[in-house]
């Protein structure tokens, strides 16, 4: 019944076409725009919150449905054996218990300034959720030129990570530990992956690109002589 469909991701479009067999309907992967403040200072974040050494970041709801129990388990197993110690920094609303560990820091909900400062200085952004249709915080991490470690069980994020060349999927706790260890030991690799993420977001998830895609989609509907609503 729709005259046109605007999708968030390639993966979302593929799922809708597979389920509803409606590829004939005008459509486009439009997405959303990601805006970053120019003033992003990781040293300011470290000083404000007392963060020292390498750290990995999670931003979002701290709840079971986001895969947090798995993340906490993988983190503990890695850090209990790791030679290079790191800190897991958590931002967002807490809806479950957080492990009481020296290497886990819960900062609560924070202003955008803190969030973007934290993105800028992290080794990588961690996204354990399997159920994302589009993760804005993942796009923000890439826009800040940071790699993202994602669950291989997330069809959208694992696929987007491969297309961006900046998302690294893990399928087990052992893989999670190896990836995190590698990113700490190889800042050159970390930065190279991060730059790929920034390039991916600039080419796809900016407001000028989003507006242009909407206008193209509207023009296609008009050219076909279909009602616009």
């Amino acid at each position: 019944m729709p005259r046109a469909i605007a999708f968030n991701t390639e993966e979302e479009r593929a799922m809708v076409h597979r389920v509803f067999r409606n590829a004939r309907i005008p459509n486009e992967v439009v997405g959303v725009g990601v805006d970053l403040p120019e003033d992003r200072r990781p040293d300011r974040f470290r000083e404000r919150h007392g963060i020292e050494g390498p750290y990995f970041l999670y931003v979002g709801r701290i709840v079971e449905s986001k895969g947090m129990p798995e993340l906490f388990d993988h983190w503990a197993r890695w850090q209990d054996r790791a030679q290079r110690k790191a800190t897991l920094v958590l931002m967002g609303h807490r809806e479950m218990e957080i492990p009481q560990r020296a290497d886990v820091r819960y900062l609560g909900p924070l202003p955008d300034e803190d969030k973007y400062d934290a993105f800028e200085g992290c080794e990588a952004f961690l996204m354990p959720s399997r159920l994302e249709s589009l993760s804005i915080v993942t796009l923000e991490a890439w826009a800040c030129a940071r790699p993202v470690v994602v669950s291989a069980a997330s069809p959208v994020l694992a696929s987007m990570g491969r297309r961006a060349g900046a998302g690294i999927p893990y399928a087990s706790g052992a893989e999670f530990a190896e990836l995190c260890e590698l990113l700490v030991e190889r800042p050159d690799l970390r930065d190279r992956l991060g730059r790929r993420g920034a390039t991916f977001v600039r080419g796809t998830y900016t407001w000028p690109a989003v507006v242009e895609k909407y206008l193209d989609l509207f023009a296609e509907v008009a050219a076909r002589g279909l009602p616009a609503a």
Side-chain angles (χ1 to χ4, degrees):
M1 296 303 294
R3 302 298 186 262
I5 304 176
F7 295 103
N8 279 323
T9 64
E10 294 282 357
E11 294 74 21
E12 185 180 56
R13 175 163 65 180
M15 183 273 290
V16 170
H17 286 174
R18 183 177 66 253
V19 172
F20 296 99
R21 302 180 184 274
N22 60 353
R24 68 190 181 281
I25 296 173
N27 66 87
E28 181 60 88
V29 177
V30 174
V32 297
V34 176
D35 291 322
L36 297 182
E38 293 186 6
D39 182 24
R40 306 191 302 274
R41 288 183 277 167
D43 291 343
R44 178 170 58 191
F45 172 75
R46 288 182 178 276
E47 183 175 341
R48 184 175 292 170
H49 299 285
I51 305 295
E52 298 180 356
Y55 69 91
F56 291 77
L57 180 66
Y58 172 82
V59 177
R61 292 169 56 222
I62 300 167
V63 63
E64 287 86 349
S65 62
K66 290 289 187 179
M68 298 307 292
E70 178 182 272
L71 174 60
F72 292 146
D73 180 67
H74 290 348
W75 180 267
R77 290 175 182 270
W78 171 43
Q79 280 297 293
D80 287 345
R81 298 190 301 268
Q83 294 182 347
R84 293 288 302 274
K85 298 302 181 182
T87 301
L88 172 59
V89 175
L90 307 168
M91 294 184 187
H93 291 282
R94 178 171 62 88
E95 301 176 33
M96 61 174 288
E97 291 297 319
I98 295 174
Q100 298 299 308
R101 296 176 55 96
D103 53 24
V104 176
R105 289 284 309 278
Y106 173 58
L107 302 181
L110 292 175
D112 281 349
E113 180 179 85
D114 291 86
K115 179 178 70 171
Y116 289 115
D117 285 353
F119 274 133
E120 198 74 16
C122 69
E123 301 297 315
F125 182 69
L126 305 180
M127 177 46 73
S129 176
R130 304 180 179 192
L131 305 175
E132 303 301 299
S133 60
L134 176 67
S135 169
I136 300 298
V137 284
T138 294
L139 296 178
E140 290 174 337
W142 281 336
C144 291
R146 307 326 284 168
V148 179
V149 178
V150 303
S151 171
S154 170
V156 171
L157 295 184
S159 179
M160 283 186 69
R162 286 190 292 270
R163 289 192 288 109
I168 317 172
Y170 64 88
S172 66
E175 287 186 1
F176 175 88
E178 289 178 9
L179 291 173
C180 292
E181 194 82 38
L182 182 63
L183 292 171
V184 173
E185 293 177 353
R186 292 280 307 278
D188 60 319
L189 175 62
R190 175 201 66 201
D191 293 343
R192 186 161 68 249
L193 292 170
R195 287 192 296 271
R196 290 177 183 172
T199 299
F200 174 73
V201 171
R202 283 197 301 270
T204 310
Y205 291 98
T206 64
W207 285 118
V210 168
V211 170
E212 182 178 355
K213 289 176 182 178
Y214 268 116
L215 292 176
D216 288 345
L217 189 57
F218 296 157
E220 183 175 357
V221 171
R224 292 191 182 199
L226 299 172

